[in-house]
Amino acid sequence: MDENNTPGSTEPPSAALIAVTLPNKVTVLKTFPLPGIGFCLATASDKSLIYTGLSDFSILRANLSAEKIEPAAVGVNGHTSYVMGLVRCGETLVSGGYDCSLIWWNAESGEIIRRSSDAHARWIRMLAVSPDQTRIASVADDMQTKLWDAVTGACLATWGDYEAQTPQGFPSMLYAVAYSVDGKWLATGDRTGRVLVRDASNGQVAATIQTPVMYTWDPTARRHSIGGIRSLAFSNDSSQLAVGGMGKVGNIDHLEGASRIEVFDWQTGTRRLEIEDSKHKGLVESLQFGPQDAYLVAAGGDNGGFVSVWNMADGKLLTQDVAPMHVHDFELSLDGRYLIAVGHQQGAVINLFSVSG
Amino acid sequence: MSHVRSFGTCIPAHHAVSRRGFLSEGAVRAAGAVTVAGCFASDMGQIHALRSEEVASELRNQDKRVILLWLAGGASQFETWDPKPGAKTGGPFRAIQTNATGVHISELLPELSQRMHHTAIIRSLNTKIADHGGGADLVETGRLKDPGILYPDLGAVVARELGRLESKVPDYVSLYTSTEGRRKGTSGFLGARYAPMFLSESMIPLNIARLDAVAEIDHHARAGLREALGRRFAASRRSQTVDSQNSAYQRVQGLMASAELFDITQEPAEVQARYGPTQFGHQCLIARRLIEAGVPFVKVARAWWDSHGQNFETHQELCADLDHSMSVLLDDLEQRGLLKNTLVITLGEFGRTPQINSSLGRDHFASAWSCSLSGLGIRGGVAYGKTDPEGHTVVEGEASAADLFATILAALGIDHKHEYTVGARPVPLADFGSKPILDVLT
């Protein structure tokens, strides 16, 4: 195993190397069991220490540098339902979940610093932290986006602009939120495929993008829906926005739609790339651009999982493979050479380059 | 002593209509023949002959009704009636206190939680069959399939037991407009007379309208002439079969006139709005209109709950629909004084697995699941039976499909041990050995 590919390697590669080297092989380096479904991931700056929020209501910490990865609980008496969002702001972790609460934790001691029990009126789906780590954004099925002071926990703003119900009269859901890398923009995406990009300082909607293919309404056979925007990622220069979900589904009993990504020059509303992958089906649960926006990493799954890497120059597939589990969240290493993923009952470290690469 | 009701050619002498006599009297074959093993009721005249006064009891005069909300595909008991918050299998949703002390249900049913005084939950169904077709066959008829006999489903039995001969409305209406898992329902050995009026393509019955080529005045004139001739004929040849012919015509006219029952635009706008925008809501309103007009059994199928993937999102949608539509239905029935005579059932072919799969779905599960009974004959505010802390098994009050069938009949005041005779074979209304769950009955 290439030492440079392991977690804990902090030295950033040279720009020249990134510019010419694209991922060429997905390889699982190691896996570690989780006592439930890992829905969300936060990492320490060097990526060696990870935190994940789970379906058993806990937050676990794991040291990926250890020979044997043994996740341990962070604190007690936290959430009372699935933990769906987790971010790290310095030495503080902030988590949110289906219990509608946000909890501020001391990342080291596990002590609860603050709890906002009614942060949202309905289930919290995801959190995002601003690049300067001063703000936290949360989205929930009350269809509101809320902005929080990362230190004091004060709610700074509440933004609506989403319909509470789908066009067919069923409850909608607000799944995804992402900050731009420059911290100026905040993107959110709902069940019906509607993306709003806001000015993060005042909530003004700067762009509205529709991705209707991400939402499947079955009007005849099953009479309900599936899909929605499950992942959002800005490019490193903040000009592009990648939107992840699933294409149209025939039998909505299953996640059998093609995994789907749409990439926009969001300020013009131009869709640059439309990627559907029928080989690895299901939801694109997490997205991240690689260094210099040369490639886009996508992960998710149906009953299984996948990791795919797409060339942002032409939208072509660079490499992909099955993941050891349905991936719900991942983070790329600083050099973009490997990713840390959490998902159904386990976590994994996955290399994106062959040794020769 | 149990009443014995016979079907087919092998019926008791005092009820028998000879084939020669029957044919010579030219009975109306109102709804087609059902011939299984050559021994089942095949026509209106014969059925009428079997409906002796001894069993056409005052039961029918009590105007009892049933609305079956069929949760097709199998709803999750965890996300409805038997939540397990905090368990590994429990999913993300909380349990909420209902207005019945000590009874908690999923937070996805907030409106129903405030109407639990009408409702008994049965949390201990173990029906064992976890495929859609087999499970539905079992739950709908209350017994396992038998290659030698076609059993009637609940709707047909209720139509048979509670329907009025003179009724001009259908005895059994089934609405199933989604295409997945669509099942028409069966009257089995009871014959086509008790088969459902089945609406699948439209919420208003097709092919019962008067033909455009026949003017309204002609339509009525023809009916009047037929009636006059029928009366003269019957005056000298009085028999059940002749009566049957006349009532068959009346029935057809009634069915033609019943089309407006399916037209919810005849309801005040405020009532339509209360039932909400979904098709299931509209169909619940149709069910209320039908019940109010005297239809004894209405089945409204809400498909499709088969949440192998994204179980929680699916239940967020479908439970919202069920919660609101059923709550408005219960309120509406109560306000109109109909709930005391109407049993509202939620039931599907099975429940869903405790295990949550990689697609965040739950799969088929028939070993420990739930249903609900509200209104007529039901002790409200009761949660009967118990599953283990993770919902894998029934640990208290196990109930079979036959027990549930017997319970429903008992709530309606029908003796589940009454027997039909099919050929020489006694067939109790609920399967042999079944027992009503007395704890949920008033």
Side-chain angles (χ1 to χ4, degrees):
Chain A
M1 188 173 72
D2 186 347
E3 283 296 311
N4 290 329
N5 289 339
T6 57
S9 171
T10 58
E11 190 175 332
S14 71
L17 178 65
I18 297 167
V20 296
T21 308
L22 295 170
N24 56 8
K25 186 173 173 54
V26 171
T27 309
V28 178
L29 296 177
K30 52 175 119 174
T31 63
F32 50 95
L34 295 172
I37 305 161
F39 286 113
C40 47
L41 179 71
T43 61
S45 56
D46 67 356
K47 308 290 182 187
S48 63
L49 202 57
I50 70 157
Y51 303 86
T52 179
L54 287 109
S55 61
D56 69 357
F57 312 172
S58 72
I59 296 168
L60 297 185
R61 173 176 41 218
N63 185 347
L64 300 188
S65 303
E67 197 165 314
K68 186 178 180 190
I69 301 171
E70 293 179 303
V74 174
V76 292
N77 300 322
H79 289 282
T80 56
S81 188
Y82 286 9
V83 182
M84 302 299 290
L86 187 63
V87 293
R88 181 167 171 151
C89 314
E91 296 309 308
T92 303
L93 281 175
V94 182
S95 58
Y98 268 80
D99 60 3
C100 306
S101 70
L102 289 177
I103 299 178
W104 277 253
W105 309 77
N106 182 311
E108 182 63 29
S109 68
E111 178 191 359
I112 292 178
I113 302 166
R114 180 178 306 105
R115 186 193 303 261
S116 176
S117 295
D118 300 312
H120 281 270
R122 289 174 81 82
W123 309 291
I124 294 173
R125 295 286 189 166
M126 194 182 284
L127 305 181
V129 62
S130 63
D132 65 4
Q133 301 192 350
T134 62
R135 300 283 184 269
I136 293 162
S138 59
V139 289
D141 285 358
D142 57 8
M143 305 309 287
Q144 294 190 330
T145 304
K146 292 194 176 185
L147 198 63
W148 307 84
D149 187 301
V151 177
T152 67
C155 182
L156 303 173
T158 298
W159 300 316
D161 304 312
Y162 279 101
E163 296 294 332
Q165 293 192 321
T166 62
Q168 294 77 29
F170 296 93
S172 191
M173 299 154 205
L174 188 54
Y175 289 116
V177 60
Y179 261 104
S180 63
V181 177
D182 61 13
K184 292 180 179 174
W185 310 105
L186 192 67
T188 52
D190 77 353
R191 183 154 175 98
T192 65
R194 186 161 175 255
V195 179
L196 298 180
V197 182
R198 299 173 188 274
D199 182 328
S201 66
N202 59 20
Q204 202 81 28
V205 175
T208 300
I209 296 168
Q210 301 289 354
T211 61
V213 180
M214 303 283 189
Y215 171 71
T216 300
W217 161 253
D218 178 348
T220 52
R222 294 169 175 82
R223 220 166 262 281
H224 68 93
S225 72
I226 199 164
I229 293 169
R230 304 307 180 103
S231 48
L232 293 162
F234 283 94
S235 58
N236 294 294
D237 66 3
S238 299
S239 69
Q240 298 178 70
L241 179 64
V243 183
M246 181 169 61
K248 290 296 180 196
V249 184
N251 176 357
I252 64 170
D253 295 346
H254 303 269
L255 294 176
E256 66 167 35
S259 57
R260 182 176 176 87
I261 301 164
E262 297 180 40
V263 181
F264 295 87
D265 286 326
W266 66 267
Q267 282 172 311
T268 64
T270 308
R271 188 169 64 193
R272 274 199 61 230
L273 297 171
E274 181 181 11
I275 299 167
E276 276 218 353
D277 179 12
S278 294
K279 184 178 177 188
H280 292 289
K281 293 185 173 182
L283 295 163
V284 174
E285 303 273 19
S286 190
L287 285 165
Q288 195 174 336
F289 282 84
Q292 295 195 356
D293 300 327
Y295 56 90
L296 178 69
V297 183
D302 49 12
N303 259 330
F306 64 82
V307 173
S308 300
V309 187
W310 304 91
N311 189 330
M312 281 298 94
D314 56 13
K316 297 241 169 82
L317 181 67
L318 291 169
T319 180
Q320 68 179 174
D321 209 338
V322 295
M325 72 289 183
H326 182 128
V327 175
H328 285 284
D329 199 5
F330 75 84
E331 283 194 20
L332 273 179
S333 62
L334 293 175
D335 59 9
R337 296 185 69 84
Y338 67 90
L339 60 92
I340 303 152
V342 294
H344 199 80
Q345 307 287 350
Q346 59 183 331
V349 180
I350 299 172
N351 197 359
L352 300 178
F353 290 82
S354 66
V355 173
S356 60
Chain B
M1 187 188 79
S2 293
H3 291 296
V4 177
R5 299 157 198 197
S6 301
F7 291 85
T9 54
C10 317
I11 55 178
H14 67 283
H15 283 162
V17 177
S18 76
R19 179 173 172 77
R20 178 175 297 175
F22 172 74
L23 290 174
S24 67
E25 289 178 3
V28 175
R29 292 176 182 270
V34 174
T35 53
V36 177
C39 208
F40 303 128
S42 60
D43 54 75
M44 198 71 132
Q46 198 169 358
I47 287 288
H48 281 197
L50 301 170
R51 294 177 67 102
S52 66
E53 285 306 310
E54 64 182 290
V55 293
S57 65
E58 77 176 65
L59 191 61
R60 294 187 179 88
N61 297 326
Q62 294 169 3
D63 290 329
K64 293 179 176 178
R65 313 276 184 252
V66 178
I67 298 175
L68 170 60
L69 303 178
W70 180 252
L71 309 185
S76 166
Q77 63 281 9
F78 294 94
E79 278 71 46
T80 53
W81 305 117
D82 193 12
K84 304 278 185 189
K88 186 178 179 183
T89 55
F93 301 116
R94 293 177 305 145
I96 53 173
Q97 173 68 54
T98 68
N99 64 349
T101 306
V103 179
H104 293 75
I105 61 176
S106 169
E107 67 174 318
L108 297 182
L109 302 175
E111 294 185 54
L112 286 171
S113 76
Q114 297 309 303
R115 290 154 180 84
M116 199 50 56
H117 56 292
H118 296 307
T119 300
I121 300 166
I122 298 172
R123 288 176 169 158
S124 49
L125 293 173
N126 181 1
T127 51
K128 298 184 172 63
I129 297 177
D131 70 88
H132 290 294
D137 284 339
L138 172 65
V139 173
E140 285 173 352
T141 63
R143 54 190 107 207
L144 291 168
K145 281 186 95 167
D146 181 331
I149 188 168
L150 279 179
Y151 292 114
D153 65 19
L154 179 65
V157 171
V158 171
R160 171 70 176 78
E161 299 302 314
L162 299 184
R164 290 166 178 266
L165 290 181
E166 72 278 15
S167 173
K168 291 186 176 179
V169 294
D171 290 327
Y172 177 6
V173 176
S174 173
L175 297 101
Y176 199 137
T177 42
S178 299
T179 57
E180 187 63 22
R182 186 183 283 172
R183 294 169 65 87
K184 182 178 178 181
T186 176
S187 54
F189 60 73
L190 291 179
R193 168 66 177 78
Y194 298 106
M197 173 189 268
F198 185 55
L199 282 79
S200 57
E201 305 304 323
S202 162
M203 288 199 289
I204 293 183
L206 304 173
N207 302 321
I208 65 169
R210 174 177 50 77
L211 294 175
D212 289 342
V214 181
E216 181 74 29
I217 192 165
D218 290 342
H219 179 63
H220 283 291
R222 290 177 187 189
L225 177 62
R226 194 216 62 78
E227 199 176 330
L229 292 172
R231 267 201 308 271
R232 189 193 302 172
F233 185 84
S236 56
R237 299 174 183 80
R238 190 86 199 173
S239 77
Q240 288 177 313
T241 305
V242 173
D243 288 346
S244 144
Q245 181 177 12
N246 287 329
S247 74
Y249 273 104
Q250 287 169 1
R251 187 172 172 75
V252 169
Q253 286 183 315
L255 292 178
M256 291 176 72
S258 70
E260 68 179 27
L261 295 176
F262 297 85
D263 181 6
I264 59 172
T265 64
Q266 310 233 350
E267 290 286 327
E270 181 272 326
V271 175
Q272 294 180 53
R274 257 194 287 150
Y275 277 87
T278 66
Q279 188 192 62
F280 183 56
H282 296 164
Q283 292 177 335
C284 285
L285 177 52
I286 290 172
R288 193 272 288 157
R289 287 172 62 80
L290 292 170
I291 288 296
E292 195 168 36
V295 177
F297 192 94
V298 182
K299 174 179 176 179
V300 179
R302 194 349 173 162
W304 180 246
W305 296 72
D306 198 19
S307 51
H308 295 286
Q310 300 285 288
N311 172 76
F312 307 116
E313 270 86 353
T314 298
H315 280 75
Q316 277 182 250
E317 288 194 323
L318 297 184
C319 285
D321 202 7
L322 172 66
D323 185 47
H324 181 72
S325 301
M326 181 172 163
S327 296
V328 174
L329 175 65
L330 292 176
D331 290 352
D332 202 5
L333 290 171
E334 185 179 32
Q335 286 161 14
R336 290 165 187 270
L338 294 169
L339 189 56
K340 63 181 185 298
N341 289 336
T342 305
L343 174 63
V344 180
I345 306 166
T346 68
L347 184 63
E349 60 264 47
F350 43 61
R352 306 214 72 84
T353 51
Q355 297 85 1
I356 297 161
N357 66 31
S358 294
S359 298
L360 295 183
R362 297 189 192 269
D363 302 309
H364 304 173
F365 189 64
S367 303
W369 60 289
S370 306
C371 70
S372 76
L373 306 171
S374 307
L376 169 64
I378 296 304
R379 183 178 299 165
V382 169
Y384 173 83
K386 194 174 173 186
T387 52
D388 68 58
E390 292 194 343
H392 294 284
T393 57
V394 174
V395 295
E396 200 174 294
E398 182 167 302
S400 66
D403 295 331
L404 177 61
F405 213 87
T407 306
I408 292 167
L409 294 177
L412 297 170
I414 300 169
D415 183 350
H416 71 286
K417 290 181 179 173
H418 281 184
E419 290 178 352
Y420 301 127
T421 297
V422 181
R425 181 172 171 175
V427 180
L429 271 63
D431 206 2
F432 291 105
S434 61
K435 291 180 183 164
I437 302 169
L438 299 178
D439 289 6
V440 303
L441 299 171
T442 53

